[in-house]
């Protein structure tokens, strides 16, 4: 994602998340923080059809947002975006990737589980419309067992 993408991404954000849409300035601010942020867009026929963002402050990476327009769902775009966020998390030496997903979004939950995410917590009434958020984690590094200890 580059600054010129922000108006299109924001228009999609308002369309896809009418209750919880980020303000345009939030995208501007996020994109400016290259030391801890990584944002992507997916394009089809010259139009942005998906976007995703990551915040990584070692040892934790957090998926800030991921979205695909409904008419492009099921084409692997969400998987490609998530794959790149996980790759960037590893590049930045994160031990875990966290995310929040709406409890009423089984399609997204299924995607995350396919990638190895596990639900670790519930935030009751997290979203403005009262829906719970499921907190999910993907462990990138498993602690190695210490040898020679009893």
């Amino acid at each position: 994602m580059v600054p010129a993408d922000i108006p299109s991404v924001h228009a999609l954000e308002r369309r896809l998340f009418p209750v919880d849409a980020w303000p345009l300035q939030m995208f501007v601010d996020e994109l400016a923080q290259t030391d801890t942020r990584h944002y992507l867009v997916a394009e089809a026929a010259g139009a942005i059809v998906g976007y995703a963002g990551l915040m990584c402050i070692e040892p934790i990476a957090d998926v800030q947002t991921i979205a695909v327009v409904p008419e492009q769902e099921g084409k692997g775009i969400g998987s490609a975006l998530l794959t790149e966020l996980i790759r960037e998390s590893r590049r930045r030496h994160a031990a875990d990737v966290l995310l929040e997903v709406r409890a009423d979004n089984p399609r997204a939950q299924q995607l995350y589980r396919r990638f190895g995410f596990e639900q670790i917590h519930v935030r009751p009434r997290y979203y403005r419309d009262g829906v719970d958020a499921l907190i999910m984690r993907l462990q990138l590094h498993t602690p190695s067992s210490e040898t020679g200890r009893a």
Side-chain angles (χ1 to χ4, degrees):
M1 186 184 301
V2 297
D5 294 328
I6 292 174
S8 296
V9 168
H10 186 247
L12 285 178
E13 174 82 0
R14 287 192 329 259
R15 175 182 159 205
L16 299 173
F17 306 108
V19 174
D20 293 309
W22 285 8
L24 186 134
Q25 188 61 43
M26 191 160 175
F27 284 103
V28 172
D29 294 344
E30 286 289 298
L31 207 57
Q33 299 178 62
T34 57
D35 55 330
T36 59
R37 307 298 199 273
H38 184 72
Y39 278 78
L40 313 162
V41 294
E43 296 179 336
I48 295 173
V49 296
Y51 56 93
L54 182 78
M55 175 179 67
C56 186
I57 301 173
E58 201 175 332
I60 302 295
D62 193 86
V63 174
Q64 299 294 288
T65 187
I66 187 166
V68 175
V69 295
E71 54 273 18
Q72 295 290 329
E73 287 179 355
K75 297 182 179 181
I77 296 168
S79 292
L81 290 167
L82 186 56
T83 296
E84 182 54 35
L85 294 182
I86 293 168
R87 184 177 294 129
E88 182 68 15
S89 298
R90 285 192 169 103
R91 190 182 73 72
R92 293 180 183 237
H93 308 290
D96 297 307
V97 181
L98 299 175
L99 59 80
E100 290 115 7
V101 60
R102 289 177 64 96
D104 63 357
N105 189 345
R107 185 180 186 111
Q109 293 168 38
Q110 182 181 28
L111 170 68
Y112 303 139
R113 283 192 185 95
R114 273 198 333 259
F115 275 78
F117 282 83
E118 296 177 325
Q119 181 183 330
I120 59 168
H121 188 63
V122 175
R123 286 192 178 141
R125 298 170 307 284
Y126 178 78
Y127 295 98
R128 286 186 188 158
D129 60 358
V131 173
D132 294 349
L134 307 181
I135 309 305
M136 299 184 81
R137 176 182 64 198
L138 173 65
Q139 293 182 300
L140 298 179
H141 305 292
T142 54
S144 57
S145 60
E146 297 183 47
T147 57
R149 291 211 159 165

